[in-house]
Each structure stands twice: as C-alpha cells, then as structure tokens.
Amino acid sequence: MGKDITHDSSAGGGSAHSTPADLSSPILQSELTKLHSQLSTTDLKTLQSDPSAPSAGCTLESFTTYLADPKNSILALPDPQTKDWSHPFNEYFISSSHNTYLIGHQLYGDSTTDGYRNVLQRGCRCIEIDVWDGDDGEPEVFHGYTLTKEIKFKDVCKAIKKYSFSEKEGERFEGPGEGPVIISLESHAGAEQQKKMVKIMEKVWGEALIKDIEPEDVKALPSPEELRRKILVKAKYIAPEAPEPRTTPLQRVATTSSDSSDNEHEAYAEEYKKAKPKKSKVIRSLARLGAYCSSHHFPTGHPEPFLSHNTSQIPNHVYSFSEKVFARHHETFPSQIFIHNQKYLMRVYPFGLRFSSTNADPSQFWKRGVQLVALNWQKCDEGMMLNEGMFAGEGGYVLKPSGFRPNQPPPVFQKLDLAITVIAAANLPLPEESDKPKRFEPYVKIILHTTSDTPPTKEHVKRKTKAKRGIECVWDTKLEFKAIEGIIEKLSFVRFKVQDEEIGTDDLSAWACIRLDRLQQGIRVVRLFDNKGRHSKGVLLVKVEKKVY
C-alpha cells in the first residue's frame, strides 16, 4: 500500500541529494579502509569508469571525499548545462501529479495549497486543478462529491506562481528548476466563474502564462527550452464559432472533456447516493489557454482512432484516459497507441476508485510512450519510487529513448548482466520511530524492473542479502542477475529496498530507485529515502558491475 508521504517529503518526483553523504560511521570507515588498501593494485579511474576519480596512491581522505560527493554516487546526475531541452515537449516523459490538491485520502483527505508546494518543489511539472463553482461566487478547488475541503482557486494560482520555478541548478538537485509547468485544468464551473478563472490566471501568473495563441494556429509544439519558466494550461477544446454557454452557474457539474475524471465523480456520486453530475461546457476564452495542450474527445468507434481520425492528427491534441480505460484501448490498439504517442500527447491517470491514493506501475505506461503519467503523490509506494528513479535530477523532463520519437526505427531490446555487491550500511532509518535499533534486523532486496511485455519471473529479477542486526552492518554479499532480457536502459530500473525481517510482513525501512542508464559502475554510495519518502542519512556502500548487450 505504501506509507503516507509527509509535507516535507522530497522523494517521488526527482529530488537528488545535494549534500555529501555521511560516511563517518566506524563500520563504513573500516570497509573503506579495506577498499582503499586495494587501490594499489586496482586503478580507480578504470573501476569507476570515471577519469575524474582519484589516482592510484590517493589518500584515504581523498578516496572518502570522492565517494561522498553526490555527483559520484550510484546515481549519475545529468548536467543542466548540457541537457538536451531542444525537442518538442511531446517527445519527453514529464513528471505528473493527479489530484494535486489532496494530501491524503481521496474521499476525505485535506485539500490544501500545500499539495501544490509539495509536488512542485519535488520536481513535478504537470499538476491538476479540479475547479468548481464556489458558493460565494468565487471558483473553488476540491474533489467533487467527496468530503474533501474547498480551497480558493486564486490561492492555488498564487501557490503555483510561488513554487513553480527555481534557479537552473535546481533541476539537478533539490528544487523544481526552470522547466515549464503544465496545468491539467478540470473545469466543472459555470460560465461566469470560468471567466473569473481566466482573469485570475492572467493576473496572478502574468507573463509566465502562455496565452493569446489560437489553438487552431498551432502547427507544432515548442520545446521545453523555448518554454522555460512558462505555465501552460491543458484545457478542453471548444471551436471559436461555438456559442458561449449560459451564464447561470451550475453547481458542482462535470465537464465532457475526455481528460476529465468523470468516472471518478460518478463513482463518488453513486457511493454517496447522489444524482450523477450534470455536464457543462467550457467557454472559448478558457479553451484558448490550452493552445499547446488542447483536450479533445476520443473518437470511440472509429476503426483506427489513434491514427487516421482527424482529431488524432491535430498537432496540439491531448487524449486522457484512466488507467483502466487505457488498458482496454491497449488490448485493441497496441501498435496504434505507440505510434500515436511518438508525435502526440497522452495523459493517463489513476483509476478513480483508488481511494487510498495508491498507484499503478508507471513504467507500464512509459513503455507505451505515454508522456504524462499522473500519479497520486500522497503515497510512497512502488509507483512513486519508480517515478523518482525516472526523474531524479532531471528537472521533470526526460527525453524519450530512441525508437519512441518520430521518424526513428523501432526500439531495440537488449540483455543485462548485473552484479551488485552490498558491502555495508550506516545510519539506516528505523521503520517506525518507536522501533529499537537492537531489534532491527535489516536485509537488502534488489529488484529489477525491465521493459519487456512478458515480465520475467520473480526468481530472475529479485535478490536479497541475509538479515543482520542494527542500523549499521556489514554484508559483503554479491547479488547477481544474468542474461536478463527485455532491457531498454532508459525504461528499466534497479530498486533497492531495506526491510526489517519479521514474522509476517517485513516492514520497509529505506529505499532507492535508479534508472538503469544512470546506474554508475564501481564502488558507489546509495543515498536512501526513508519509508515516508524523505531524504535520510542512511547509505549503502556497494560495488556495481554492469554489462548491457
């Protein structure tokens, strides 16, 4: 199920550590001394595949300082000065949030601007705003047909302006960076309050807001580089000749947009035995803000809905599906979906009845080319761990691998040989604050996530050490994976879990998740998150040997 993420959490959306690792533990120092003594016979530059590594004969202090540097950890951080931001933004995977305003349970969790602060500062670049008519005439944000509390749309917009961007170096370390933010706007308000929404966005976001562009005039999407520090709105498309809807407010009604979680609201209405929500139309002035992200109805019933239908060839169109609807479409049109997503945007969001804010495996959608895989950031579960692995240090945008972009040959699947020697650990966080270190029996489990449509058996992709005792321990155990198939490095992950061996369920203590193409070889430090998704002082000392062929 995963632990609830706390407000000061950092993991899930791509937050790399910015400070050196604490390697002062006597146990770690003992193991580092042993490793250092071997450097006279081993060239560290070759072992690490790093020409900047210390030379043979370096001091123990310089060796330790090198390993503690976050740039030399097991995670290879991209350089924001050289990262390629030049492709159209539909050619990137984009870190995305669902029901961003919630910080807990989907039915009764609090709605708060803290939800926006939290995910934006953790690297999220696509956030959701669910807007309804406010009883006082001002638009409000909350989860329709639930017990969640309302917040003012204006306050949400102010929070987005405040927390969306940081200096460029923030892309690599703890901070949002400068990548554009996409607002997935779910408008359930009547025409009068929609007009207020437009005025609020224009006033609060100012020059950051992309506006005054007719959606029909867009022939190609710009790059994230061209959109740095800009805010884009994803809104339902309405043709310019369409008449303005009536101005009488419709209380708590739902849009007909394909990207709306209408099935969520209908499910909640049924749960609370209320009438199904009525429909309202989006006004043209709001639709115009969706110039680069224009939500269109999916052409159900067409023989080739993702390829030959006119809507599917509009450059700025976006199709949005719940995970279950996507799965049904994928059973019928697997190749069409992949080809569509090479050129055009798609968003997939969690099934509406995931009341406890859990997530599906996002890699199942990334490997179909889905750019916007919206997750419930309220839980530190497997889905959020993989999201962290995908986006760590990337500023919320990851260029799709070869074969996933237009005019390229099909992707090539490779094999993997991987050996990870788990040497030692220090400062491991306890699963619960009330736990005692003397009773803590940690072991390390390593899990591979491949790109294959035929998942390998657990015996092939999971390995673990024996359990030790205490928050500092030595394993010196080699865990090997041989000839693992279905590998596309940018869509495959290595997940580390530290668990407490107990009778029954083994509680999670700490974790890390690394994208395979960013897994550095040699002697490395693994920086660990605790089970609530917060940066911890916990570290693993490991040796990595990797071969992709």
Side-chain angles (χ1 to χ4, degrees), residues 39 74 108 156 201 220 367 377 387 435 472 493 502 534:
L39 293 182
I74 195 171
Y108 48 77
V156 170
M201 288 186 282
K367 70 183 182 182
W377 288 47
N387 208 63
D435 289 344
E472 300 183 356
F493 302 87
E502 299 178 296
R534 299 172 298 201

Side-chain angles (χ1 to χ4, degrees), residues 99-113:
N99 289 348
T100 312
Y101 44 87
L102 295 180
I103 58 172
H105 198 280
Q106 298 288 308
L107 294 182
Y108 48 77
D110 288 339
S111 298
T112 169
T113 57

Side-chain angles (χ1 to χ4, degrees), residues 19-290:
T19 56
D22 181 1
L23 304 182
S24 62
S25 155
I27 282 182
L28 286 184
Q29 284 296 305
S30 175
E31 295 304 309
L32 288 170
T33 301
K34 294 177 186 177
L35 292 168
H36 177 257
S37 67
Q38 300 168 5
L39 293 182
S40 58
T41 58
T42 303
D43 181 8
L44 188 61
K45 295 180 186 292
T46 302
L47 179 66
Q48 304 290 98
S49 299
D50 180 6
S52 69
S55 302
C58 67
T59 64
L60 175 60
E61 182 181 4
S62 63
F63 176 55
T64 303
T65 300
Y66 168 81
L67 293 179
D69 191 323
K71 296 176 185 176
N72 301 322
S73 76
I74 195 171
L75 171 66
L77 290 168
D79 183 349
Q81 302 301 326
T82 59
K83 178 174 173 173
D84 187 356
W85 292 86
S86 66
H87 295 256
F89 74 86
N90 55 290
E91 296 185 21
Y92 293 79
F93 297 119
I94 303 171
S95 185
S96 305
S97 163
H98 175 62
N99 289 348
T100 312
Y101 44 87
L102 295 180
I103 58 172
H105 198 280
Q106 298 288 308
L107 294 182
Y108 48 77
D110 288 339
S111 298
T112 169
T113 57
D114 279 351
Y116 293 93
R117 173 189 61 80
N118 190 13
V119 304
L120 287 167
Q121 291 187 325
R122 289 157 61 195
C124 184
R125 297 290 85 185
C126 180
I127 57 179
E128 184 177 19
I129 310 181
D130 215 348
V131 192
W132 303 74
D133 280 320
D135 293 336
D136 62 354
E138 295 298 320
E140 295 179 333
V141 176
F142 67 96
H143 203 185
Y145 293 92
T146 69
L147 302 179
T148 57
K149 183 182 177 182
E150 303 90 346
I151 48 178
K152 293 299 183 184
F153 177 69
K154 185 176 183 179
D155 292 338
V156 170
C157 291
K158 288 180 178 178
I160 291 169
K161 179 182 180 180
K162 183 175 181 179
Y163 297 113
S164 283
F165 307 110
S166 68
E167 73 285 350
K168 195 170 187 178
E169 188 69 7
E171 293 163 8
R172 179 159 50 165
F173 295 117
E174 299 153 36
E178 296 183 335
V181 170
I182 301 171
I183 308 298
S184 183
L185 190 62
E186 301 282 351
S187 176
H188 311 279
E192 286 303 314
Q193 293 199 26
Q194 286 185 50
K195 292 176 183 177
K196 291 185 177 181
M197 290 164 55
V198 173
K199 290 181 179 179
I200 289 170
M201 288 186 282
E202 290 179 340
K203 181 178 180 180
V204 174
W205 295 336
E207 293 183 359
L209 177 65
I210 295 293
K211 61 180 181 178
D212 299 329
I213 299 172
E214 301 299 335
E216 299 80 14
D217 293 341
V218 175
K219 305 304 179 187
L221 296 183
S223 69
E225 182 64 47
E226 296 170 293
L227 296 171
R228 277 192 179 274
R229 290 186 170 268
K230 295 295 184 182
I231 298 175
L232 291 68
V233 174
K234 182 174 77 66
K236 179 189 171 185
Y237 177 72
I238 295 293
E241 66 271 13
E244 290 283 288
R246 69 182 190 178
T247 58
T248 303
L250 294 173
Q251 294 297 316
R252 288 160 172 61
V253 295
T255 176
T256 57
S257 170
S258 65
D259 66 280
S260 171
S261 41
D262 284 346
N263 58 343
E264 283 186 273
H265 299 124
E266 291 182 2
Y268 299 145
E270 184 176 342
E271 180 81 10
Y272 289 100
K273 295 181 171 47
K274 294 185 178 182
K276 287 187 178 181
K278 298 177 182 179
K279 310 286 185 180
S280 73
K281 290 186 177 181
V282 172
I283 62 175
R284 172 65 183 181
S285 58
L286 183 58
R288 286 183 74 235
L289 294 180

